[in-house]
Amino acid sequence: MNGTPRLRSAYPSTPKSGQILGEGYGSGTGASGARVPLPTLSAPHKDPQAPLISFNLVDAPSQRLYIAFFYLGLTVWRLCDYYGLVSDEDDSLWLFMKWVAIDSIFLYGLPGFKIPWLQWSSTTMTILFILHAIADAVLMFRIPIPLEAWVVAFSRLVYDRETTVSERRVKPASVLHNSSLILGKQIIHILPEGSAMLNPDHTAYCIDGLATSVNLPIRINQTNPILIEMLRLDLDTNLNETLTIESKELRKLKKQAEKHFSHHELARPRMLQYTVKQTGLYRLQRVVDESKLEVQRRLSDTLVVQCPSASVRSVPDTKCIGDLSNFYLHVEATPPINVKYSKLVNNGERGHIELSIPPEHPISPLARHRTPDALITRDPMAHPDISWARTQSTNIPLNESLGVIGDWHYSIDEIRDGCGNVVDYTSSHPEALHRHQLSTALPLEQSFSVHDRPKAALHGCDSQRPLRVPKGKPIRLPVQLSSIRPNKGEKGVHQLSYLFTPSAELQPNQEHAKDAVLAELKLDPNVAGHDVHEPGLYTLRSVESAFCAGDILEPSSCLLSNPPEPSLSIESQIIPDRCAGNSIGLMVELDLTGNPPFRLSYIIQRRGGPVTHQVTETDMLHTQLELRPEHSGHYTYEFLDISDAVYREPRSLRGQNLILEQDVKPPASARFLDAYPTRKTCIGEPVPLGVQLLGEAPWRLDYEVVHHGRRQKHRIDAIETDIHTLMTDELKNGGEYSVALTAVTDKSGCKISLEQETKIEVALQRPKASFGLVEGQRSILALEDKLVKLPLRLQGESPYTVKYQNLNQAEDEVTTSRFRNSNDEINVRQAGTYELIQIHDATCPGNVEAAAKRFTVEWIPRPGVQVTESATVEQSQDRFIKRDICEGDEDAIGLSFSGTPPFDVEYSHHLRPERGSQSANTKKFTAGISLASIRMDSIGAGIHQYKITKLSDLSYNHDPRKFSPIAIEQRVHARPTVTFVEGGMTYRYCKEEQAGGENVPVSLQGLPPFHLEVEIRHHSSTKPELVTIPNIETHQYNLHIPHRLLALGTHSVRIRKIRDAHGCQRRMEQDAPHVQVNVAEVPSITALETQTNYCVGERISYTLSGSPPFNVFYTFQGQERKASATSTNFRRLAEQPGEFTITAITDQRSADCKAHVHITKIIHEMPSVRVSKGRTATVDIHEGGEAEILFEFGGSPPFEFTYTRSSNPPKGKKSQILDTKSDISFEHTKTILASDEGIYEVVAIKDRFCAFSTQKVQGKSGQKLLTYR
């Protein structure tokens, strides 16, 4: 022990046995048991630290053991005095003083022995003395000490176990302080802001023979990358490769990018240009900066594809009108593809057409309206299919009908692929020109020269209408070339062939001879036909131009003939005046030869007057020509020339001396200008009549007006003009008037009688219109939708135009009809009041009689049926619901009819039973009056549906279009039944003073609530007790027997009557099943707390009554369990969540009689929360960025939780709480975005029922049961 290092405050080391007193701290040693000789002249030296009893006599451990035995003996003596004090009640004060003195002597005398390890300081000794004095006082003055409680508390401290609801013994602390309820935390570090993005402007890139490589821009911001990994997906194989840009290459790229920036623009983003020479899909996979952290990169995929190209598959350039262009555009590009080409026709306006070729791949992201940044999934290692980005080769047919003659020119202007790469073949940019030169091997244009197809036909001549030509005179064969518009450079001459047969060689049917001549000629379209002169039959065979074959149209045959020339011979006679005998004209007889029609020209010359040329045409070979000049004088008539249909050039007749002369003096005459024989007018109006006068002015005109035999003569003198208007008087009487010109006298005084007459029909009165009477009234009652004829009474002259309207129509619509009969009829099919508005006959407008201008049409009412209103009938939408009845009850429903009795009714009855198959039948009956009823069928429980399907009366047959079926529905309820679940069984119950009665399970059929009447008879009594049980809401019911009716012993229980919610009742027979009830005493159990909801960790306590020990039966988590209680208290620790239900209890006296109870307590799990999946997660973000903190909850929502943000401490230091926040979540997960640096962890959580916290308030963990209202 001497070799063990000791502190200054430690006990001194124990001396070795055999060491002398002064040798303990000396340096000399000697033999065991020998004394060290003292110097001669020196006194002996005594060590102040030497023990009272030498260690050589008794060593230190033995001394300590003896002291311990002595102290134990004092303690036994003290306890003996204590027990003697309790039994003998000695003086407590004396004993107290005694032991205080003994303890003081012992404690304060002990240091004098100077025994190692028992040398204490004065402070320690004082404290020990005080403690012993207190113990002496407690013992001697009999102060009670809770030793049992202290022992129990100490035992719990050492071994603390409680029984749980699952009958296991666990430590309560392990349940109450479950550190797994709150797990995980998230640490956020803020890094310097930096980002990288590939192709930020979403520029399109492509590679071809001109551009063999492209520079992909990589924008870096606030970062200095040392490594960039770029993913490339091959478009053809879908294989991926990683392109790594090392730091050395990155320095070169950054150096090139910084050439465009000054030293003051260090903070601006840099654009690194990375060169690639292969097509594919490129994506920034990883960017690492100088801090060895990945730089935030925005997902942006860039496609490098083959540059789009287009060409024309050329075809011959000569076309005829109507042909198809029939050529192809060959394009190669990444779909979707847009091709623009232009079309120019005859140097007109250039048209631009754009074609779109959709991708063959249905899920191409390039086909979307807006191309997303990520073209593939975020996990490129999943081998995404990017076949949609491959180059697609397509032939686009251009099959356009060439419908315009001229030059057609097609040229490719531009092609655009799905990535946005554009090749413009029309641009003047040097790169575009160079690209165009490279593509000269592929034609970009297609031209057509479109020519018209010639069409030939004969115009104005066919086989039925020959071409008549004067003899010896040539004529152009009327060949017409239609739609001849020669194209540029096209020859105008067409090749034409025809057949010719002379007239003498034609067959009898006027067809060509077998040896007809086939002639060909070149025909200029500008020349209208071909000159022919030989008579015969000409037929066109074919026509063609230099480029296109044509068509021969009808007529294609023409017969050429030479008819004879026209001639004329004349004879004349004088036309005399009967009054004066003067000559008034000539009648010339004309005899003509030739081909009608003839055109004959002659002149009339009055002496001293001008020459008048006259032409007469006639279709006849003999005719008369009357020459009666209107004015007097000497007239000369000379025939000049003649022509006919063939010889159109006039043939002169002057050589035949066809001249006639005469002196003419014409007589007076007059005639009506209007040729109408009869004029019609309205009564009371004058009539103007135009008269033309002939002869020499002035004239005197005599005329007369005749009406109803009365003749009125009139004369008009001194008429100076040859046109005069004769105005009659007002014709006030209706009827026919005759106006006759009787005579006219001109300047010669010769009165000439006339026979000119015209008639005037004057209406007798204004036309009138009115409705006639039907059975003495202007109204009619008819069958609905039948044609109704409304009688009209019309006065006037037919035809009549009548306007009328139906006043009952919503729109103000006027109908106009024409009638020819004065007693005509208006046919109508609609009910309403019809009113006449206006009448007009053939001549005059008329009037409508006000008293007879309306006629009313009404329909005979159709038969109808309605359900009689009753308190037992309710209407619900499309049917009537009759109040429910019970099976076997009598019921009926009343009906009221409208119409003409008797009424024939047909209805169907359909039963939908509660069990079994459905049934239906049809019934008929006849109602002689307007009231009837249908007897309701109550045989069979279920829904009885009655539907009135047909109805007819005396006037109308059944019309399904006009009749709406009436549905009536009634539910017939089965009478309820009740049986004991276990009929004839003997139930054993325990007599319980606090219970209200016993329960016997019964089964009920019907609609709850039920009403039962139960008979209970004790074996020792002859008078039964009746119990009425109302409002039974379930079909399975525990029949409750009141406690007051149960005595110890056997009872017979029988059900006498049952009634359900429908009011249906059934009385049970005397031999109905019954049960026996045996009653005995039972224990009871009562919960100490009224609450139902508990949390895990809480204790559930009950009090028991009866004779211990008890057996408590309960269910927990679906398992039935049994627990024993030796006292009247029963308590369990809620270890796990679940439903804890006490089901029964037995005690020592009633082991066979189990008291059934149902005391349910719901144990809820403690709410839990997981931060970052329950792990410690570290997230590095850049300044301004955000990190997601995922909270996952367990328990019953809603959840309220408190989390803190603590500082990220340096190593070796504690973190400080910077912020505390509370939040709520109605779901089991919640994500919070955080942008502040720190350590985020949850310190408290609570759900709907429970709460848990890692923070301690006054030394207790915050945990309690919550209730949300």
Side-chain angles (χ1 to χ4, degrees):
M1 293 181 64
N2 293 334
T4 304
R6 297 182 179 274
L7 300 177
R8 295 181 180 178
S9 59
Y11 295 113
S13 59
T14 302
K16 295 180 181 179
S17 61
Q19 186 177 5
I20 61 174
L21 183 62
E23 194 178 18
Y25 300 97
S27 58
T29 61
S32 179
R35 290 182 177 271
V36 179
L38 297 175
T40 305
L41 298 178
S42 299
H45 175 73
K46 187 173 181 66
D47 189 357
Q49 298 296 331
L52 180 63
I53 300 174
S54 174
F55 293 150
N56 293 325
L57 180 62
V58 180
D59 59 3
S62 298
Q63 292 186 30
R64 287 194 292 269
L65 180 61
Y66 298 154
I67 294 298
F69 285 153
F70 181 74
Y71 181 77
L72 182 60
L74 291 178
T75 303
V76 174
W77 184 17
R78 194 193 325 263
L79 292 178
C80 290
D81 287 347
Y82 167 71
Y83 285 110
L85 180 65
V86 172
S87 59
D88 298 338
E89 295 183 0
D90 294 335
D91 190 3
S92 299
L93 179 59
W94 183 86
L95 291 177
F96 169 71
M97 294 175 64
K98 166 188 170 182
W99 282 105
V100 169
I102 293 174
D103 289 335
S104 62
I105 294 170
F106 174 76
L107 292 176
Y108 286 103
L110 183 61
F113 289 90
K114 297 181 182 180
I115 302 173
W117 295 3
L118 297 179
Q119 292 179 303
W120 297 316
S121 64
S122 58
T123 304
T124 304
M125 297 303 298
T126 303
I127 293 174
L128 291 176
F129 173 74
I130 294 174
L131 293 177
H132 281 76
I134 293 174
D136 293 338
V138 170
L139 291 174
M140 302 308 145
F141 288 102
R142 294 176 295 179
I143 298 174
I145 300 175
L147 293 178
E148 182 179 357
W150 290 356
V151 172
V152 171
F154 179 77
S155 64
R156 287 186 177 181
L157 182 63
V158 176
Y159 181 79
D160 185 11
R161 293 291 188 271
E162 286 191 29
T163 305
T164 65
V165 292
S166 58
E167 294 302 317
R168 294 191 304 118
R169 297 188 64 81
V170 299
K171 286 185 177 182
S174 63
V175 178
L176 293 173
H177 307 289
N178 189 358
S179 60
S180 64
L181 296 178
I182 299 179
L183 293 178
K185 60 183 176 180
Q186 184 157 319
I187 303 173
I188 298 178
H189 292 292
I190 296 181
L191 302 177
E193 178 62 26
S195 63
M197 182 179 182
L198 176 65
N199 192 12
D201 298 329
H202 302 285
T203 307
Y205 296 98
C206 66
I207 295 176
D208 60 0
L210 179 61
T212 59
S213 64
V214 295
N215 293 328
L216 297 182
I218 304 174
R219 185 178 66 189
I220 59 174
N221 183 24
Q222 297 294 328
T223 184
N224 187 16
I226 61 172
L227 176 66
I228 295 179
E229 291 183 358
M230 187 180 300
L231 179 72
R232 172 184 170 271
L233 290 178
D234 191 270
L235 301 183
D236 297 325
T237 63
N238 279 350
L239 298 179
N240 56 50
E241 64 172 335
T242 301
L243 306 177
T244 303
I245 309 175
E246 301 293 344
S247 59
K248 183 177 179 181
E249 187 176 0
L250 283 172
R251 285 195 296 270
K252 294 180 181 179
L253 296 178
K254 189 173 182 182
K255 185 176 181 181
Q256 294 175 357
E258 288 178 348
K259 292 180 180 180
H260 306 286
F261 296 91
S262 63
H263 296 289
H264 304 287
E265 297 176 321
L266 296 177
R268 293 187 59 184
R270 300 294 191 264
M271 199 72 72
L272 307 182
Q273 301 293 335
Y274 181 67
T275 303
V276 296
K277 297 182 179 181
Q278 290 180 305
T279 61
L281 186 144
Y282 292 86
R283 170 186 286 183
L284 279 183
Q285 187 73 9
R286 191 163 70 104
V287 180
V288 180
D289 61 4
E290 294 176 335
S291 60
K292 304 296 184 179
L293 295 176
E294 289 193 16
V295 177
Q296 180 182 5
R297 65 189 187 282
R298 180 179 174 185
L299 191 61
S300 177
D301 294 338
T302 299
L303 274 176
V304 178
V305 298
Q306 197 72 24
C307 289
S309 63
S311 61
V312 174
R313 298 291 176 87
S314 300
V315 296
D317 59 352
T318 300
K319 296 285 184 179
C320 296
I321 190 170
D323 288 348
L324 298 177
S325 57
N326 196 20
F327 71 99
Y328 293 88
L329 299 181
H330 180 74
V331 297
E332 292 184 0
T334 299
I337 309 170
N338 284 352
V339 181
K340 290 184 181 179
Y341 70 92
S342 59
K343 181 179 69 174
L344 182 64
V345 180
N346 293 332
N347 295 323
E349 184 177 355
R350 182 179 295 271
H352 297 276
I353 299 96
E354 182 174 352
L355 302 177
S356 297
I357 299 97
E360 297 177 353
H361 204 287
I363 58 172
S364 173
L366 301 179
R368 301 175 187 172
H369 180 69
R370 182 178 182 273
T371 304
D373 292 337
L375 300 178
I376 59 175
T377 60
R378 293 184 177 270
D379 184 11
M381 299 305 174
H383 302 290
D385 183 13
I386 58 171
S387 58
W388 47 265
R390 297 171 186 168
T391 299
Q392 177 177 321
S393 180
T394 307
N395 287 327
I396 307 174
L398 295 183
N399 234 5
E400 182 178 4
S401 178
L402 304 176
V404 177
I405 299 172
D407 294 331
W408 291 61
H409 182 77
Y410 295 86
S411 62
I412 299 176
D413 297 339
E414 179 185 286
I415 180 171
R416 179 190 300 269
D417 65 6
C419 301
N421 297 296
V422 179
V423 176
D424 189 356
Y425 295 104
T426 62
S427 175
S428 59
H429 193 273
E431 181 181 352
L433 295 177
H434 184 47
R435 190 184 302 275
H436 183 64
Q437 292 173 1
L438 292 177
S439 62
T440 51
L442 300 176
L444 300 175
E445 299 179 351
Q446 174 69 54
S447 298
F448 295 110
S449 181
V450 181
H451 306 273
D452 194 8
R453 297 181 185 273
K455 296 179 179 62
L458 296 176
H459 179 67
C461 177
D462 55 26
S463 59
Q464 302 299 326
R465 294 179 299 170
L467 189 63
R468 295 181 176 88
V469 181
K471 296 179 181 179
K473 185 176 181 181
I475 188 173
R476 290 189 181 278
L477 188 64
V479 179
Q480 183 179 18
L481 298 176
S482 60
S483 301
I484 300 300
R485 290 169 288 173
N487 196 1
K488 182 179 179 181
E490 183 179 345
K491 296 179 180 181
V493 178
H494 291 71
Q495 190 75 22
L496 183 70
S497 64
Y498 66 90
L499 286 177
F500 170 69
T501 300
S503 298
E505 299 177 6
L506 289 175
Q507 295 183 6
N509 59 356
Q510 297 298 308
E511 294 293 335
H512 284 283
K514 295 183 180 180
D515 55 351
V517 178
L518 179 62
E520 294 185 357
L521 57 92
K522 295 184 182 296
L523 188 63
D524 190 348
N526 298 323
V527 179
H530 173 66
D531 290 341
V532 294
H533 62 277
E534 187 175 357
L537 181 61
Y538 296 83
T539 302
L540 300 180
R541 284 301 184 190
S542 64
V543 62
E544 61 182 16
S545 66
F547 302 96
C548 304
D551 300 323
I552 299 297
L553 306 180
E554 293 295 334
S556 61
S557 297
C558 180
L559 183 63
L560 180 62
S561 63
N562 298 133
E565 298 182 356
S567 63
L568 172 67
S569 63
I570 62 174
E571 292 182 0
S572 64
Q573 293 181 357
I574 296 176
I575 302 175
D577 184 5
R578 297 178 181 178
C579 176
N582 299 324
S583 175
I584 60 174
L586 288 176
M587 181 65 68
V588 181
E589 301 286 340
L590 302 179
D591 293 318
L592 302 102
T593 58
N595 299 282
F598 299 97
R599 188 176 185 275
L600 181 63
S601 64
Y602 61 94
I603 61 173
I604 301 175
Q605 184 176 11
R606 180 182 178 187
R607 183 179 295 169
V611 176
T612 304
H613 288 268
Q614 298 288 335
V615 176
T616 182
E617 295 182 357
T618 180
D619 293 332
M620 297 180 293
L621 298 177
H622 177 79
T623 186
Q624 291 181 341
L625 178 63
E626 183 178 300
L627 302 174
R628 291 183 74 170
E630 294 182 356
H631 303 283
S632 59
H634 181 77
Y635 288 86
T636 300
Y637 309 98
E638 181 180 2
F639 294 92
L640 301 179
D641 53 52
I642 187 174
S643 63
D644 62 4
V646 177
Y647 297 88
R648 296 184 180 278
E649 295 183 0
R651 302 281 178 168
S652 178
L653 300 175
R654 291 183 183 275
Q656 299 182 16
N657 195 21
L658 300 177
I659 300 175
L660 300 174
E661 294 185 0
Q662 181 189 23
D663 290 328
V664 176
K665 193 173 182 180
S669 180
R671 66 173 182 271
F672 288 109
L673 291 177
D674 297 334
Y676 298 107
T678 302
R679 295 171 176 80
K680 295 183 179 181
T681 186
C682 299
I683 189 170
E685 296 181 357
V687 179
L689 301 173
V691 179
Q692 182 183 16
L693 301 171
L694 302 176
E696 295 180 294
W699 290 277
R700 183 177 67 235
L701 180 62
D702 295 322
Y703 71 95
E704 60 184 8
V705 179
V706 180
H707 176 62
H708 289 176
R710 298 177 58 185
R711 188 183 302 273
Q712 295 180 355
K713 296 185 177 182
H714 301 271
R715 173 175 290 177
I716 304 175
D717 296 322
I719 301 175
E720 297 293 338
T721 60
D722 56 352
I723 300 298
H724 181 72
T725 299
L726 187 154
M727 184 66 70
T728 67
D729 298 334
E730 292 184 357
L731 306 180
K732 299 182 178 180
N733 297 320
E736 185 181 80
Y737 288 79
S738 296
V739 179
L741 302 180
T742 56
V744 61
T745 303
D746 62 357
K747 183 179 179 181
S748 64
C750 186
K751 185 175 182 180
I752 303 300
S753 298
L754 301 175
E755 296 181 355
Q756 290 286 324
E757 182 179 356
T758 185
K759 295 185 180 295
I760 301 174
E761 188 70 29
V762 179
L764 298 177
Q765 60 182 359
R766 296 276 182 179
K768 295 181 180 180
S770 63
F771 280 115
L773 298 175
V774 177
E775 296 181 358
Q777 56 186 358
R778 291 184 178 88
S779 63
I780 188 171
L781 195 62
L783 295 178
E784 185 178 355
D785 293 337
K786 297 294 184 181
L787 181 65
V788 179
K789 300 179 180 293
L790 306 184
L792 284 177
R793 300 296 179 259
L794 306 176
Q795 298 179 11
E797 183 178 358
S798 176
Y800 306 95
T801 301
V802 178
K803 294 183 178 181
Y804 63 93
Q805 67 177 354
N806 187 346
L807 298 179
N808 291 2
Q809 289 183 348
E811 300 179 357
D812 190 11
E813 181 179 356
V814 177
T815 304
T816 302
S817 301
R818 293 177 65 86
F819 303 96
R820 295 190 175 276
N821 191 349
S822 298
N823 296 305
D824 219 323
E825 296 171 332
I826 297 178
N827 296 329
V828 298
R829 290 185 180 273
Q830 295 180 349
T833 300
Y834 291 84
E835 181 182 50
L836 299 177
I837 299 175
Q838 182 181 345
I839 182 174
H840 197 291
D841 66 358
T843 305
C844 303
N847 302 320
V848 176
E849 293 186 13
K853 68 178 182 179
R854 293 184 179 179
F855 199 101
T856 301
V857 177
E858 295 179 345
W859 300 138
I860 297 174
R862 282 188 170 273
V865 60
Q866 291 183 348
V867 176
T868 305
E869 293 185 1
S870 172
T872 62
V873 179
E874 295 181 358
Q875 186 171 2
S876 174
Q877 296 181 353
D878 59 342
R879 63 187 59 200
F880 291 91
I881 306 299
K882 192 77 167 65
R883 181 179 295 174
D884 299 352
I885 61 174
C886 299
E887 190 174 6
D889 292 350
E890 292 290 334
D891 196 8
I893 188 169
L895 302 177
S896 60
F897 298 94
S898 61
T900 307
F903 303 94
D904 294 326
V905 182
E906 180 177 326
Y907 69 94
S908 62
H909 174 213
H910 183 263
L911 171 60
R912 289 190 298 170
E914 296 177 353
R915 297 180 183 84
S917 59
Q918 303 182 8
S919 63
N921 56 18
T922 302
K923 299 181 180 180
K924 300 180 181 179
F925 70 91
T926 300
I929 58 176
S930 59
L931 295 177
S933 63
I934 296 178
R935 181 179 176 274
M936 313 302 285
D937 192 351
S938 63
I939 299 176
I943 297 177
H944 292 256
Q945 295 178 337
Y946 306 84
K947 190 173 185 180
I948 301 177
T949 56
K950 294 184 180 180
L951 176 64
S952 60
D953 64 354
L954 187 63
S955 301
Y956 292 93
N957 293 326
H958 174 70
D959 188 351
R961 297 173 301 174
K962 301 293 184 179
F963 178 72
S964 298
I966 296 178
I968 305 169
E969 185 175 294
Q970 185 180 45
R971 180 181 292 273
V972 176
H973 300 287
R975 296 188 181 273
T977 60
V978 58
T979 58
F980 289 102
V981 175
E982 298 174 342
M985 182 179 178
T986 299
Y987 290 90
R988 300 184 183 276
Y989 292 109
C990 301
K991 181 68 175 178
E992 184 177 1
E993 296 294 338
Q994 301 300 327
E998 306 303 340
N999 296 324
V1000 177
V1002 295
S1003 176
L1004 303 100
Q1005 293 184 358
L1007 180 67
F1010 299 95
H1011 183 93
L1012 289 180
E1013 185 176 307
V1014 182
E1015 174 187 298
I1016 302 173
R1017 186 190 303 270
H1018 194 267
H1019 67 91
S1020 62
S1021 175
T1022 59
K1023 182 180 179 182
E1025 297 287 344
L1026 296 181
V1027 178
T1028 300
I1029 306 174
N1031 300 325
I1032 300 176
E1033 299 292 343
T1034 60
H1035 291 87
Q1036 300 296 327
Y1037 180 71
N1038 290 327
L1039 183 62
H1040 182 75
I1041 301 176
H1043 180 268
R1044 59 181 177 82
L1045 301 178
L1046 294 177
L1048 294 176
T1050 303
H1051 301 75
S1052 175
V1053 180
R1054 187 189 308 273
I1055 298 176
R1056 300 181 62 179
K1057 184 171 61 175
I1058 179 175
R1059 184 174 70 248
D1060 64 0
H1062 299 303
C1064 300
Q1065 179 174 295
R1066 182 187 298 272
R1067 290 185 176 274
M1068 310 303 291
E1069 301 296 334
Q1070 291 297 326
D1071 57 349
H1074 65 280
V1075 295
Q1076 302 290 332
V1077 177
N1078 228 345
V1079 181
E1081 293 285 348
V1082 293
S1084 64
I1085 182 171
T1086 306
L1088 292 180
E1089 298 92 359
T1090 59
Q1091 66 187 65
T1092 302
N1093 297 306
Y1094 289 82
C1095 295
V1096 170
E1098 293 186 326
R1099 295 170 177 82
I1100 307 175
S1101 300
Y1102 301 89
T1103 181
L1104 309 176
S1105 62
S1107 299
F1110 299 92
N1111 289 327
V1112 180
F1113 299 88
Y1114 65 93
T1115 59
F1116 180 66
Q1117 293 182 341
Q1119 296 183 0
E1120 296 183 356
R1121 303 174 188 268
K1122 177 182 177 182
S1124 298
T1126 58
S1127 65
T1128 58
N1129 292 326
F1130 179 71
R1131 186 175 71 170
R1132 287 294 182 265
L1133 177 65
E1135 175 198 8
Q1136 298 175 354
E1139 186 175 296
F1140 182 78
T1141 303
I1142 303 294
T1143 58
I1145 181 175
T1146 62
D1147 61 357
Q1148 185 180 13
R1149 290 184 301 177
S1150 58
D1152 296 334
C1153 186
K1154 185 185 294 184
H1156 293 276
V1157 295
H1158 188 82
I1159 305 175
T1160 300
K1161 305 294 182 180
I1162 299 175
I1163 303 172
H1164 301 276
E1165 65 176 342
M1166 294 298 294
S1168 62
V1169 61
R1170 303 290 186 270
V1171 182
S1172 299
K1173 301 294 184 179
R1175 301 185 300 270
T1176 300
T1178 303
V1179 179
D1180 296 330
I1181 64 173
H1182 291 278
E1183 185 68 32
E1186 291 180 332
E1188 291 185 351
I1189 303 177
L1190 176 63
F1191 297 90
E1192 297 174 304
F1193 303 101
S1196 302
F1199 302 95
E1200 293 185 22
F1201 61 99
T1202 301
Y1203 64 95
T1204 62
R1205 179 176 67 89
S1206 305
S1207 61
N1208 291 325
K1211 189 174 182 180
K1213 293 186 178 181
K1214 292 185 179 181
S1215 62
Q1216 300 294 326
I1217 296 178
L1218 303 176
D1219 193 8
T1220 302
K1221 294 183 179 180
S1222 297
D1223 205 341
I1224 187 169
S1225 174
F1226 294 93
E1227 305 293 337
H1228 284 83
T1229 60
K1230 187 177 184 67
T1231 301
I1232 295 177
L1233 297 178
S1235 59
D1236 295 330
E1237 187 177 41
I1239 302 174
Y1240 292 82
E1241 53 187 340
V1242 176
V1243 297
I1245 175 69
K1246 67 178 180 179
D1247 65 355
R1248 183 179 180 185
F1249 299 101
C1250 305
F1252 179 78
S1253 175
T1254 59
Q1255 296 175 335
K1256 293 186 177 180
V1257 180
Q1258 296 178 355
K1260 296 183 179 180
S1261 177
Q1263 175 179 347
K1264 62 179 180 178
L1265 174 67
L1266 301 178
T1267 301
Y1268 286 85
R1269 297 181 178 178

